Amino acid sequence: MSTRLLIATIGGSLEPITASLLHWRPARVLFVVSAETRDSVSSQVVPSVQRAGWTDFDAGRYDLLAITDAQDYTGIVVQLRSLDGRIGDWLRDHPGTEVIADFTGGTKAMTAALALAAARWPCQISYVGGSERTKNGVGVVVSGKEQIVHAHNPWDALGYLAVEESVILFENGNFSAAAHILEDARDKMADASRKREFQAFAALCQLCECWDRFQHGEALKKLSAVQRDKNDLFALLGSHRSTALQSWLQQVDGKLKEIVSAQTDPAARLVFVCDLLGNAKRRFQQSAYDDAVARLYRAIEALAQARLHEHSFTDTANIPLEKVPEPLRIEWQSRASDGVIKLGLQENYTLLGALGDELAARFKEAGLDDPKCSPLTSRNSSILAHGYAPVGEAVASQLLNAALKMAALTESDLTVFPSLKN
């Protein structure tokens, strides 16, 4: 028994809608009608279908959606959105069913509106053509010569809309949202090759999302998937975008592996610092200044920790007091517990200064040691630290520049994600 749901616009010609109903034999029909065609469903369409052989097709098999103005395209689109819930309920109650949208009948505005609305539904597009037309092939279909044209999944054609929307999200750093849109579009498609292309783009978004969340090991796995399916990705994005993307993919494999290694290799921690600064720059570009400053604070702290490791201080949470140079040792003695002391960021640089390390001098030159005007003070009073005041652009910019100088880096040294702009 059929569990198909047919949504069909109704115009003045009976033959096309009769042909569609007889072809699909739906379990339920939603007729989209105008004021002019509303009564024709019961008075003409039903009798026509019954005469053609489907004798049990009656009023119990269909519902009507009456359009207020058959020429108001925008109004029709809005009214058709009311079908979203009904179609969702039908699919939930009839798993594995087919939804068919037939836009053959009705005004041009009704046809266009249903074609647009159908892009929101998991369905097939159907319309009635013909093997013979009047007026030397350019008129209406000759009665009895109707042919059903169907099996067109709208997402196979309209998927490019999801691609362009995802590109915008990708450019703004909303990688998770971009991947979700692409996967949703992929799942609605029927064409296997298009599905592969959309999956490849989703994998690129997931790669950048993992990287942006410091999940570097997962990002490395996603990179393997992107490189494996890059031909599908390039086919979807086009030659211009693919040229820049190809160059980026050739560079990032080694960089990601360096970052993963740096997390367990103290001698390579500067690679981790560089990645942190790149992440901070992306937050800055999104105007997420509190997030940017939190990352910059950690990067400056990590710089000190890496340098202290070179001086054999492997854990700044457990500094042996006996290894601290005089007179700093005496100053910190009262704070020691079991012969060790835990240091914060400022104290890390104080210890580096006592050790004669030039990084401490750079810290001071950047004005980061001044408790009154250091941008690090603004971080401590921010919402993401210990206070309630949001960080502004000026402070974030000042700290970004200071962190770059501390690390002896320029912005060109930072990790940059690919741009997909045309």
Side-chain angles (χ1 to χ4, degrees):
M1 180 178 178
S2 170
T3 56
R4 293 188 183 105
L5 173 66
L6 175 67
I7 302 101
T9 47
I10 300 297
S13 300
L14 296 180
E15 290 84 356
I17 188 60
T18 300
S20 183
L21 288 165
L22 292 173
H23 176 83
W24 293 112
R25 297 284 176 133
R28 195 75 186 169
V29 185
L30 290 170
F31 288 120
V32 181
V33 298
S34 63
E36 294 76 16
T37 61
R38 178 175 187 143
D39 293 339
S40 67
V41 174
S42 59
S43 64
Q44 299 180 50
V45 174
V46 172
S48 175
V49 173
Q50 291 176 343
R51 286 194 301 271
W54 190 4
T55 57
D56 59 348
F57 181 76
D58 55 29
R61 288 187 178 271
Y62 67 84
D63 298 296
L64 302 179
L65 175 65
I67 297 303
T68 304
D69 183 348
Q71 305 300 330
D72 180 7
Y73 171 74
T74 301
I76 298 171
V77 171
V78 172
Q79 288 184 270
L80 287 177
R81 291 196 63 180
S82 67
L83 297 181
D84 291 358
R86 298 176 69 175
I87 293 169
D89 291 342
W90 183 269
L91 291 171
R92 185 188 64 247
D93 297 338
H94 303 83
T97 191
E98 290 181 287
V99 176
I100 313 297
D102 189 315
F103 52 67
T104 306
T107 64
K108 290 180 173 64
M110 291 169 66
T111 294
L114 180 57
L116 179 65
R120 298 169 54 86
W121 309 326
C123 69
Q124 294 185 61
I125 291 293
S126 172
Y127 56 95
V128 179
S131 59
E132 186 177 341
R133 290 179 177 270
T134 61
K135 298 181 180 179
N136 296 319
V138 297
V140 298
V141 174
V142 174
S143 181
K145 300 294 184 178
E146 294 83 11
Q147 290 182 333
I148 305 297
V149 181
H150 65 90
H152 295 281
N153 184 320
W155 275 97
D156 290 341
L158 297 176
Y160 75 91
L161 296 174
V163 172
E164 295 309 314
E165 185 175 358
S166 297
V167 165
I168 293 172
L169 291 169
F170 187 96
E171 289 295 317
N172 290 330
N174 296 322
F175 306 117
S176 179
H180 177 77
I181 288 173
L182 291 163
E183 290 176 324
D184 184 59
R186 175 204 63 196
D187 292 342
K188 292 176 180 177
M189 291 176 173
D191 188 291
S193 63
R194 295 282 283 167
K195 281 179 174 286
R196 290 194 301 271
E197 292 172 0
F198 274 64
Q199 178 54 45
F201 191 5
L204 174 65
C205 297
Q206 291 159 355
L207 156 62
C208 293
E209 178 191 3
C210 289
W211 196 334
D212 219 29
R213 292 181 177 179
F214 307 109
Q215 298 170 345
H216 300 106
E218 287 300 312
L220 199 55
K221 294 176 184 177
K222 294 294 182 183
L223 177 60
S224 296
V226 172
Q227 290 174 328
R228 182 194 64 217
D229 301 327
K230 64 181 180 181
N231 289 337
D232 290 318
L233 178 61
F234 295 165
L236 181 67
L237 295 179
S239 59
H240 180 74
R241 288 169 174 160
S242 299
T243 300
L245 187 55
Q246 171 73 1
S247 176
W248 185 80
L249 289 173
Q250 290 172 347
Q251 300 172 17
V252 295
D253 182 75
K255 182 171 287 190
L256 262 178
K257 289 177 180 176
E258 282 184 336
I259 296 169
V260 171
S261 299
Q263 293 170 345
T264 56
D265 180 8
R269 287 285 166 82
L270 288 179
V271 175
F272 177 69
V273 170
C274 185
D275 186 68
L276 255 178
L277 293 174
N279 195 297
K281 178 66 184 297
R282 292 193 292 277
R283 302 290 79 77
F284 183 88
Q285 291 170 330
Q286 293 173 332
S287 300
Y289 302 124
D290 286 274
D291 291 327
V293 165
R295 287 153 173 77
L296 293 168
Y297 187 97
R298 175 65 186 117
I300 292 169
E301 180 184 50
L303 276 172
Q305 291 172 336
R307 188 61 63 86
L308 284 170
H309 190 276
E310 295 176 11
H311 291 281
S312 300
F313 292 96
T314 57
D315 183 0
T316 56
N318 292 281
I319 298 291
L321 188 62
E322 63 182 21
K323 295 177 62 176
V324 176
E326 294 285 6
L328 193 57
R329 183 192 310 168
I330 297 174
E331 181 181 337
W332 286 353
Q333 188 170 9
S334 62
R335 295 172 46 199
S337 176
D338 296 327
V340 299
I341 188 170
K342 180 179 181 179
L343 304 185
L345 183 148
Q346 289 284 352
E347 293 163 327
N348 288 338
Y349 282 96
T350 300
L351 178 54
L352 284 172
L355 294 168
D357 195 291
E358 55 87 24
L359 187 62
R362 273 192 263 166
F363 185 76
K364 188 172 184 178
E365 288 170 6
L368 298 179
D369 67 327
D370 189 332
K372 293 183 178 180
C373 59
S374 170
L376 292 174
T377 303
S378 296
R379 174 266 174 191
N380 290 332
S381 60
S382 77
I383 292 173
L384 296 184
H386 311 297
Y388 300 95
V391 174
E393 179 181 359
V395 169
S397 178
Q398 182 184 357
L399 193 57
L400 174 60
N401 291 330
L404 288 170
K405 290 179 181 177
M406 291 280 299
L409 297 170
T410 66
E411 291 191 17
S412 62
D413 297 315
L414 305 183
T415 302
V416 177
F417 287 171
S419 174
L420 302 180
K421 293 180 180 178
N422 280 321

